[in-house]
Amino acid sequence: MVTQKDEANGSSDQLEAVLSDNTRTWFRRMHLATFIEMQLLMPLAAPAVVVYMMISVMSIASQTFCGHLGNLEFAAAALGNNGIQVFAYGLLLGMGSAVETLCGQAYGADKYEMLGVYLQRSTVLLMATGIPLTVIYVLSEPILRLLGESPEISKAAALYVYGLIPQIFAYAVNFPIQKFLQSQSIVAPSAYILVITFVFHLLVSWVVVFKLGFGLVGASLVLSLSWWVYVGAQFMYIVKSPKCRSTWTGFTWQAFTGLPDFLKLSTASAIMLCLETWYFQILVLMAGMLDNPELALDALTVCTSIIGWEFMISVGFNAAASVRVGNELGAGNARSAAFSATVATIISTVISLFIAVLIMAFRDKISYIFTGGEVVANAVSELCPFLAISIAVSGVQPVLSGVAVGSGWQALVAYINVGCYYFVGIPLGAFMGFKLGFGVKGLWGGMLAGTIIQTLILIWITLRTDWNKEVQEARKRLEKWDDMKQPLLADAET
């Protein structure tokens, strides 16, 4: 019987053979290789785009429900999501990406039994990390006031954040599950589950917020509930699906061993991705310190919601690129890994440029999707050029970050992010926004400069990569982590 993995292996080997065939012209090789790569990439990227987009839209939907309660509630939900929740999201997503590197390369190397171990180890670490994050959520009001936010918005935002505490631990389970499935090219089931969850989320949010009158805290509690529904359904799929039979063989004590070393890799991954996800969070926090914080936050929230939605498309290609590069490196296919990175980046960039053009074409109408009011609409329209440029750049940067995760470059990219984001982007944005008096435009413009510099550096590194060397590094990494698991409930017959 030919399995899905066998078919993928056949196409992957064919891709490497085509790229290595010097008897064909360069144009002919690229044509055939692109056709093969699209067959491997798009079944990953398309459902991954749906997954990440729906995740973003689910949070935006909660903000939109709050926005129809009033401008204060909309600003509070935005600050709660972008000022506090994104902190946890970035940290746990970053730590979870260690699973993406290890599972992707292990699956490519046919070390199936290790995927379930990596999943469980990561979940243990992330659940433990959720405990101190809960304390931050509980103290969100004084934290926001300490950061300079207005007392009225801080109090309302804290109320929203309290309802997001259960979501922390849903994140802690979801990200390892997500990376576990993605590394095996199993993405479509998660998309189907999330679409159904989203419908559930909309219906329950409408009842809780408007019919039962629970307002801000009701909206955030429903968001937490929806996340747990999504996580539980995915885990049931892993347990029941024959596609995961080789990679999930039950709970194991090995999940509690080797945690210090696993924590080191998770920390490097967390630093890399946290510095990226916190970047726009800092922009939102600084906007709350301007002279008219409510208008600034409302306008910026509309823009960040749009870029967050579009960013999910690029993140879908980020996930696909990470899986493709990780699988090819694990299988020892250097040329295929490089080619996969290139194709994913080009496709994502073209889509982002198209969306950027649409944003500029409808710049005067976009804000009415989220909240009413001509004042906010005018403010959003003025920010649209920055939004369009950010969207164009996001077509490249997330995909290259996915290549970095698939290759295990997290520590290197973390250093690059520190320099570009926190020594260039944020100081420049603060200088232009506050010192020069350009407000939100100055904040965003300075921070956009940091993103552009970071993207150019990632392009330069990717172009200069020795992919044969990366294959050797992948083998060393797998040898280091190849510790066989021992089932918690051992089979008596074995």
Tab-separated table of all heavy atoms in Angstrom, residues 292-348:
chain	number	residue	atom	x	y	z
A	292	ASN	N	-3.727	61.835	21.875
A	292	ASN	CA	-5.109	61.364	21.727
A	292	ASN	C	-5.077	59.843	21.624
A	292	ASN	O	-5.231	59.284	20.539
A	292	ASN	CB	-5.748	61.981	20.479
A	292	ASN	CG	-7.248	61.694	20.395
A	292	ASN	OD1	-7.796	60.909	21.171
A	292	ASN	ND2	-7.907	62.339	19.438
A	293	PRO	N	-4.873	59.147	22.754
A	293	PRO	CA	-4.615	57.700	22.692
A	293	PRO	C	-5.779	56.888	22.146
A	293	PRO	O	-5.570	55.893	21.459
A	293	PRO	CB	-4.310	57.330	24.148
A	293	PRO	CG	-4.988	58.381	24.958
A	293	PRO	CD	-4.890	59.635	24.142
A	294	GLU	N	-7.021	57.297	22.415
A	294	GLU	CA	-8.151	56.487	21.975
A	294	GLU	C	-8.255	56.470	20.456
A	294	GLU	O	-8.425	55.414	19.840
A	294	GLU	CB	-9.451	57.012	22.593
A	294	GLU	CG	-10.645	56.100	22.344
A	294	GLU	CD	-11.872	56.492	23.162
A	294	GLU	OE1	-11.699	56.796	24.353
A	294	GLU	OE2	-12.974	56.501	22.591
A	295	LEU	N	-8.119	57.648	19.821
A	295	LEU	CA	-8.167	57.714	18.361
A	295	LEU	C	-6.960	56.992	17.751
A	295	LEU	O	-7.100	56.251	16.770
A	295	LEU	CB	-8.187	59.166	17.890
A	295	LEU	CG	-8.134	59.376	16.373
A	295	LEU	CD1	-9.332	58.714	15.707
A	295	LEU	CD2	-8.072	60.867	16.031
A	296	ALA	N	-5.777	57.194	18.352
A	296	ALA	CA	-4.571	56.538	17.837
A	296	ALA	C	-4.699	55.029	17.892
A	296	ALA	O	-4.351	54.322	16.933
A	296	ALA	CB	-3.346	57.001	18.633
A	297	LEU	N	-5.215	54.515	19.025
A	297	LEU	CA	-5.369	53.072	19.172
A	297	LEU	C	-6.439	52.528	18.241
A	297	LEU	O	-6.269	51.453	17.655
A	297	LEU	CB	-5.710	52.724	20.623
A	297	LEU	CG	-4.543	52.766	21.630
A	297	LEU	CD1	-5.070	52.586	23.045
A	297	LEU	CD2	-3.522	51.703	21.296
A	298	ASP	N	-7.535	53.260	18.076
A	298	ASP	CA	-8.590	52.793	17.182
A	298	ASP	C	-8.080	52.692	15.747
A	298	ASP	O	-8.294	51.684	15.063
A	298	ASP	CB	-9.795	53.732	17.242
A	298	ASP	CG	-10.618	53.543	18.508
A	298	ASP	OD1	-10.376	52.546	19.211
A	298	ASP	OD2	-11.487	54.381	18.789
A	299	ALA	N	-7.411	53.747	15.269
A	299	ALA	CA	-6.904	53.753	13.892
A	299	ALA	C	-5.824	52.696	13.706
A	299	ALA	O	-5.820	51.959	12.705
A	299	ALA	CB	-6.349	55.139	13.549
A	300	LEU	N	-4.915	52.606	14.664
A	300	LEU	CA	-3.828	51.644	14.549
A	300	LEU	C	-4.346	50.215	14.658
A	300	LEU	O	-3.832	49.310	13.988
A	300	LEU	CB	-2.777	51.905	15.637
A	300	LEU	CG	-1.448	51.180	15.488
A	300	LEU	CD1	-0.781	51.532	14.171
A	300	LEU	CD2	-0.525	51.530	16.653
A	301	THR	N	-5.375	50.016	15.463
A	301	THR	CA	-5.938	48.674	15.617
A	301	THR	C	-6.568	48.196	14.321
A	301	THR	O	-6.447	47.021	13.951
A	301	THR	CB	-6.982	48.663	16.751
A	301	THR	OG1	-6.331	48.973	17.972
A	301	THR	CG2	-7.628	47.294	16.861
A	302	VAL	N	-7.244	49.091	13.607
A	302	VAL	CA	-7.798	48.717	12.308
A	302	VAL	C	-6.681	48.266	11.379
A	302	VAL	O	-6.770	47.220	10.711
A	302	VAL	CB	-8.577	49.892	11.686
A	302	VAL	CG1	-8.963	49.578	10.242
A	302	VAL	CG2	-9.820	50.204	12.503
A	303	CYS	N	-5.587	49.038	11.367
A	303	CYS	CA	-4.463	48.714	10.475
A	303	CYS	C	-3.770	47.420	10.893
A	303	CYS	O	-3.451	46.571	10.050
A	303	CYS	CB	-3.455	49.871	10.467
A	303	CYS	SG	-4.065	51.356	9.661
A	304	THR	N	-3.518	47.258	12.185
A	304	THR	CA	-2.835	46.042	12.639
A	304	THR	C	-3.730	44.820	12.492
A	304	THR	O	-3.232	43.713	12.281
A	304	THR	CB	-2.384	46.178	14.108
A	304	THR	OG1	-3.506	46.548	14.927
A	304	THR	CG2	-1.305	47.240	14.251
A	305	SER	N	-5.044	45.010	12.570
A	305	SER	CA	-5.953	43.890	12.332
A	305	SER	C	-5.866	43.442	10.877
A	305	SER	O	-5.852	42.243	10.585
A	305	SER	CB	-7.388	44.286	12.676
A	305	SER	OG	-7.518	44.574	14.052
A	306	ILE	N	-5.798	44.415	9.965
A	306	ILE	CA	-5.695	44.085	8.538
A	306	ILE	C	-4.368	43.415	8.238
A	306	ILE	O	-4.313	42.377	7.568
A	306	ILE	CB	-5.860	45.352	7.679
A	306	ILE	CG1	-7.287	45.889	7.806
A	306	ILE	CG2	-5.548	45.057	6.214
A	306	ILE	CD1	-7.491	47.249	7.197
A	307	ILE	N	-3.277	44.002	8.747
A	307	ILE	CA	-1.972	43.402	8.479
A	307	ILE	C	-1.856	42.056	9.183
A	307	ILE	O	-1.186	41.138	8.700
A	307	ILE	CB	-0.817	44.343	8.888
A	307	ILE	CG1	0.487	43.872	8.227
A	307	ILE	CG2	-0.650	44.409	10.397
A	307	ILE	CD1	1.639	44.826	8.414
A	308	GLY	N	-2.533	41.927	10.331
A	308	GLY	CA	-2.539	40.635	11.010
A	308	GLY	C	-3.243	39.577	10.192
A	308	GLY	O	-2.798	38.429	10.110
A	309	TRP	N	-4.343	39.974	9.551
A	309	TRP	CA	-5.074	39.057	8.667
A	309	TRP	C	-4.212	38.671	7.469
A	309	TRP	O	-4.081	37.499	7.132
A	309	TRP	CB	-6.359	39.731	8.207
A	309	TRP	CG	-7.106	38.956	7.171
A	309	TRP	CD1	-7.903	37.864	7.375
A	309	TRP	CD2	-7.130	39.200	5.759
A	309	TRP	NE1	-8.419	37.417	6.175
A	309	TRP	CE2	-7.964	38.225	5.170
A	309	TRP	CE3	-6.544	40.157	4.940
A	309	TRP	CZ2	-8.214	38.174	3.802
A	309	TRP	CZ3	-6.792	40.111	3.575
A	309	TRP	CH2	-7.616	39.127	3.018
A	310	GLU	N	-3.599	39.687	6.821
A	310	GLU	CA	-2.744	39.398	5.663
A	310	GLU	C	-1.504	38.630	6.075
A	310	GLU	O	-1.025	37.749	5.345
A	310	GLU	CB	-2.342	40.712	4.985
A	310	GLU	CG	-1.575	40.544	3.685
A	310	GLU	CD	-0.106	40.228	3.887
A	310	GLU	OE1	0.446	40.621	4.938
A	310	GLU	OE2	0.498	39.591	3.010
A	311	PHE	N	-0.981	38.949	7.260
A	311	PHE	CA	0.219	38.289	7.758
A	311	PHE	C	0.001	36.789	7.885
A	311	PHE	O	0.931	36.002	7.714
A	311	PHE	CB	0.599	38.896	9.110
A	311	PHE	CG	1.918	38.424	9.650
A	311	PHE	CD1	3.107	38.856	9.089
A	311	PHE	CD2	1.970	37.558	10.739
A	311	PHE	CE1	4.315	38.440	9.596
A	311	PHE	CE2	3.184	37.130	11.245
A	311	PHE	CZ	4.360	37.573	10.670
A	312	MET	N	-1.238	36.400	8.159
A	312	MET	CA	-1.535	34.978	8.283
A	312	MET	C	-1.346	34.236	6.964
A	312	MET	O	-1.037	33.051	6.947
A	312	MET	CB	-2.966	34.777	8.795
A	312	MET	CG	-3.206	35.257	10.216
A	312	MET	SD	-2.100	34.496	11.436
A	312	MET	CE	-0.963	35.844	11.763
A	313	ILE	N	-1.533	34.946	5.839
A	313	ILE	CA	-1.258	34.319	4.542
A	313	ILE	C	0.226	34.005	4.437
A	313	ILE	O	0.627	32.893	4.082
A	313	ILE	CB	-1.689	35.238	3.389
A	313	ILE	CG1	-3.191	35.498	3.460
A	313	ILE	CG2	-1.299	34.635	2.043
A	313	ILE	CD1	-3.699	36.465	2.401
A	314	SER	N	1.045	34.994	4.786
A	314	SER	CA	2.495	34.786	4.745
A	314	SER	C	2.937	33.739	5.759
A	314	SER	O	3.856	32.953	5.499
A	314	SER	CB	3.218	36.113	5.006
A	314	SER	OG	2.917	37.059	4.004
A	315	VAL	N	2.275	33.722	6.931
A	315	VAL	CA	2.619	32.731	7.939
A	315	VAL	C	2.244	31.334	7.466
A	315	VAL	O	2.907	30.349	7.802
A	315	VAL	CB	1.938	33.069	9.285
A	315	VAL	CG1	2.085	31.935	10.274
A	315	VAL	CG2	2.543	34.330	9.874
A	316	GLY	N	1.172	31.234	6.664
A	316	GLY	CA	0.842	29.938	6.070
A	316	GLY	C	1.968	29.445	5.184
A	316	GLY	O	2.351	28.268	5.231
A	317	PHE	N	2.530	30.348	4.382
A	317	PHE	CA	3.688	29.987	3.568
A	317	PHE	C	4.934	29.802	4.435
A	317	PHE	O	5.816	29.014	4.094
A	317	PHE	CB	3.932	31.048	2.487
A	317	PHE	CG	3.019	30.917	1.311
A	317	PHE	CD1	1.830	31.638	1.255
A	317	PHE	CD2	3.319	30.061	0.270
A	317	PHE	CE1	0.969	31.505	0.181
A	317	PHE	CE2	2.463	29.921	-0.816
A	317	PHE	CZ	1.285	30.646	-0.864
A	318	ASN	N	4.997	30.527	5.549
A	318	ASN	CA	6.076	30.326	6.527
A	318	ASN	C	6.062	28.883	7.011
A	318	ASN	O	7.098	28.196	7.033
A	318	ASN	CB	5.879	31.296	7.696
A	318	ASN	CG	6.683	30.942	8.938
A	318	ASN	OD1	6.456	29.912	9.568
A	318	ASN	ND2	7.588	31.818	9.316
A	319	ALA	N	4.871	28.389	7.399
A	319	ALA	CA	4.746	27.016	7.887
A	319	ALA	C	5.082	26.011	6.794
A	319	ALA	O	5.796	25.028	7.032
A	319	ALA	CB	3.326	26.775	8.404
A	320	ALA	N	4.577	26.284	5.585
A	320	ALA	CA	4.844	25.366	4.471
A	320	ALA	C	6.334	25.334	4.133
A	320	ALA	O	6.907	24.263	3.899
A	320	ALA	CB	4.034	25.785	3.247
A	321	ALA	N	6.962	26.520	4.117
A	321	ALA	CA	8.400	26.581	3.819
A	321	ALA	C	9.205	25.863	4.886
A	321	ALA	O	10.175	25.153	4.587
A	321	ALA	CB	8.848	28.038	3.706
A	322	SER	N	8.803	26.039	6.153
A	322	SER	CA	9.515	25.381	7.245
A	322	SER	C	9.436	23.867	7.123
A	322	SER	O	10.434	23.159	7.276
A	322	SER	CB	8.928	25.828	8.591
A	322	SER	OG	9.545	25.157	9.657
A	323	VAL	N	8.230	23.358	6.815
A	323	VAL	CA	8.049	21.910	6.651
A	323	VAL	C	8.846	21.402	5.461
A	323	VAL	O	9.570	20.398	5.542
A	323	VAL	CB	6.563	21.564	6.479
A	323	VAL	CG1	6.387	20.089	6.111
A	323	VAL	CG2	5.794	21.872	7.762
A	324	ARG	N	8.724	22.100	4.333
A	324	ARG	CA	9.408	21.649	3.129
A	324	ARG	C	10.933	21.658	3.316
A	324	ARG	O	11.612	20.685	2.988
A	324	ARG	CB	9.032	22.550	1.939
A	324	ARG	CG	7.607	22.384	1.460
A	324	ARG	CD	7.396	21.056	0.738
A	324	ARG	NE	8.293	20.948	-0.403
A	324	ARG	CZ	9.193	19.982	-0.554
A	324	ARG	NH1	9.310	19.011	0.348
A	324	ARG	NH2	9.977	19.962	-1.621
A	325	VAL	N	11.455	22.753	3.851
A	325	VAL	CA	12.906	22.846	4.046
A	325	VAL	C	13.374	21.825	5.076
A	325	VAL	O	14.369	21.129	4.881
A	325	VAL	CB	13.300	24.276	4.469
A	325	VAL	CG1	14.773	24.329	4.893
A	325	VAL	CG2	13.067	25.258	3.325
A	326	GLY	N	12.630	21.708	6.193
A	326	GLY	CA	13.011	20.740	7.219
A	326	GLY	C	12.980	19.312	6.716
A	326	GLY	O	13.905	18.528	6.970
A	327	ASN	N	11.919	18.954	5.990
A	327	ASN	CA	11.812	17.600	5.436
A	327	ASN	C	12.929	17.311	4.444
A	327	ASN	O	13.522	16.218	4.459
A	327	ASN	CB	10.467	17.413	4.736
A	327	ASN	CG	9.292	17.277	5.693
A	327	ASN	OD1	8.142	17.252	5.270
A	327	ASN	ND2	9.548	17.202	6.990
A	328	GLU	N	13.241	18.272	3.578
A	328	GLU	CA	14.283	18.055	2.570
A	328	GLU	C	15.666	17.960	3.203
A	328	GLU	O	16.491	17.129	2.796
A	328	GLU	CB	14.259	19.180	1.524
A	328	GLU	CG	12.987	19.258	0.700
A	328	GLU	CD	12.772	18.041	-0.184
A	328	GLU	OE1	13.687	17.195	-0.284
A	328	GLU	OE2	11.676	17.923	-0.776
A	329	LEU	N	15.923	18.778	4.218
A	329	LEU	CA	17.213	18.681	4.903
A	329	LEU	C	17.331	17.346	5.628
A	329	LEU	O	18.392	16.709	5.612
A	329	LEU	CB	17.380	19.844	5.890
A	329	LEU	CG	17.573	21.234	5.280
A	329	LEU	CD1	17.650	22.280	6.381
A	329	LEU	CD2	18.832	21.289	4.416
A	330	GLY	N	16.237	16.917	6.266
A	330	GLY	CA	16.261	15.625	6.950
A	330	GLY	C	16.480	14.473	5.988
A	330	GLY	O	17.123	13.471	6.322
A	331	ALA	N	15.958	14.629	4.763
A	331	ALA	CA	16.123	13.576	3.742
A	331	ALA	C	17.445	13.690	2.998
A	331	ALA	O	17.763	12.834	2.167
A	331	ALA	CB	14.970	13.652	2.743
A	332	GLY	N	18.216	14.756	3.280
A	332	GLY	CA	19.520	14.929	2.634
A	332	GLY	C	19.463	15.560	1.257
A	332	GLY	O	20.432	15.458	0.488
A	333	ASN	N	18.368	16.257	0.933
A	333	ASN	CA	18.204	16.862	-0.389
A	333	ASN	C	18.515	18.359	-0.320
A	333	ASN	O	17.618	19.187	-0.105
A	333	ASN	CB	16.783	16.643	-0.911
A	333	ASN	CG	16.455	15.177	-1.103
A	333	ASN	OD1	17.340	14.367	-1.404
A	333	ASN	ND2	15.199	14.815	-0.914
A	334	ALA	N	19.763	18.714	-0.540
A	334	ALA	CA	20.197	20.098	-0.389
A	334	ALA	C	19.590	21.011	-1.448
A	334	ALA	O	19.095	22.104	-1.142
A	334	ALA	CB	21.725	20.170	-0.450
A	335	ARG	N	19.623	20.603	-2.702
A	335	ARG	CA	19.095	21.442	-3.770
A	335	ARG	C	17.587	21.671	-3.604
A	335	ARG	O	17.080	22.772	-3.841
A	335	ARG	CB	19.378	20.811	-5.132
A	335	ARG	CG	20.839	20.838	-5.554
A	335	ARG	CD	20.997	20.275	-6.970
A	335	ARG	NE	22.368	20.333	-7.433
A	335	ARG	CZ	23.278	19.387	-7.217
A	335	ARG	NH1	22.935	18.302	-6.524
A	335	ARG	NH2	24.513	19.521	-7.665
A	336	SER	N	16.881	20.637	-3.212
A	336	SER	CA	15.431	20.752	-3.036
A	336	SER	C	15.097	21.714	-1.897
A	336	SER	O	14.121	22.473	-1.980
A	336	SER	CB	14.821	19.380	-2.751
A	336	SER	OG	14.989	18.511	-3.853
A	337	ALA	N	15.881	21.682	-0.828
A	337	ALA	CA	15.651	22.595	0.292
A	337	ALA	C	15.781	24.045	-0.163
A	337	ALA	O	14.943	24.898	0.157
A	337	ALA	CB	16.636	22.302	1.420
A	338	ALA	N	16.837	24.341	-0.911
A	338	ALA	CA	17.051	25.705	-1.401
A	338	ALA	C	15.941	26.125	-2.358
A	338	ALA	O	15.436	27.257	-2.297
A	338	ALA	CB	18.411	25.798	-2.102
A	339	PHE	N	15.537	25.232	-3.229
A	339	PHE	CA	14.508	25.549	-4.213
A	339	PHE	C	13.163	25.762	-3.537
A	339	PHE	O	12.397	26.671	-3.905
A	339	PHE	CB	14.420	24.429	-5.254
A	339	PHE	CG	13.559	24.761	-6.432
A	339	PHE	CD1	14.014	25.618	-7.415
A	339	PHE	CD2	12.290	24.217	-6.555
A	339	PHE	CE1	13.217	25.941	-8.506
A	339	PHE	CE2	11.483	24.531	-7.636
A	339	PHE	CZ	11.952	25.396	-8.619
A	340	SER	N	12.843	24.958	-2.548
A	340	SER	CA	11.582	25.109	-1.816
A	340	SER	C	11.504	26.478	-1.146
A	340	SER	O	10.455	27.137	-1.168
A	340	SER	CB	11.450	24.012	-0.761
A	340	SER	OG	11.396	22.734	-1.347
A	341	ALA	N	12.611	26.904	-0.544
A	341	ALA	CA	12.653	28.215	0.100
A	341	ALA	C	12.389	29.325	-0.916
A	341	ALA	O	11.640	30.277	-0.646
A	341	ALA	CB	14.007	28.423	0.768
A	342	THR	N	12.964	29.209	-2.092
A	342	THR	CA	12.808	30.229	-3.134
A	342	THR	C	11.377	30.310	-3.644
A	342	THR	O	10.793	31.400	-3.748
A	342	THR	CB	13.759	29.932	-4.316
A	342	THR	OG1	15.096	29.888	-3.834
A	342	THR	CG2	13.639	31.005	-5.384
A	343	VAL	N	10.784	29.171	-3.955
A	343	VAL	CA	9.424	29.152	-4.507
A	343	VAL	C	8.418	29.708	-3.506
A	343	VAL	O	7.551	30.524	-3.859
A	343	VAL	CB	9.042	27.719	-4.930
A	343	VAL	CG1	7.561	27.650	-5.312
A	343	VAL	CG2	9.901	27.263	-6.097
A	344	ALA	N	8.520	29.301	-2.251
A	344	ALA	CA	7.581	29.784	-1.230
A	344	ALA	C	7.682	31.297	-1.060
A	344	ALA	O	6.665	31.989	-0.929
A	344	ALA	CB	7.853	29.090	0.106
A	345	THR	N	8.896	31.828	-1.082
A	345	THR	CA	9.095	33.263	-0.920
A	345	THR	C	8.501	34.041	-2.086
A	345	THR	O	7.830	35.067	-1.894
A	345	THR	CB	10.594	33.588	-0.796
A	345	THR	OG1	11.150	32.855	0.298
A	345	THR	CG2	10.808	35.075	-0.550
A	346	ILE	N	8.709	33.574	-3.304
A	346	ILE	CA	8.191	34.276	-4.486
A	346	ILE	C	6.668	34.312	-4.485
A	346	ILE	O	6.044	35.363	-4.706
A	346	ILE	CB	8.724	33.615	-5.775
A	346	ILE	CG1	10.234	33.848	-5.909
A	346	ILE	CG2	7.988	34.166	-7.002
A	346	ILE	CD1	10.867	33.112	-7.070
A	347	ILE	N	6.034	33.182	-4.215
A	347	ILE	CA	4.570	33.129	-4.231
A	347	ILE	C	3.981	34.040	-3.161
A	347	ILE	O	3.047	34.813	-3.411
A	347	ILE	CB	4.077	31.688	-4.029
A	347	ILE	CG1	4.511	30.804	-5.196
A	347	ILE	CG2	2.557	31.654	-3.895
A	347	ILE	CD1	4.184	29.345	-5.005
A	348	SER	N	4.526	33.978	-1.960
A	348	SER	CA	4.036	34.817	-0.867
A	348	SER	C	4.198	36.300	-1.183
A	348	SER	O	3.310	37.116	-0.892
A	348	SER	CB	4.786	34.469	0.427
A	348	SER	OG	4.369	35.299	1.486
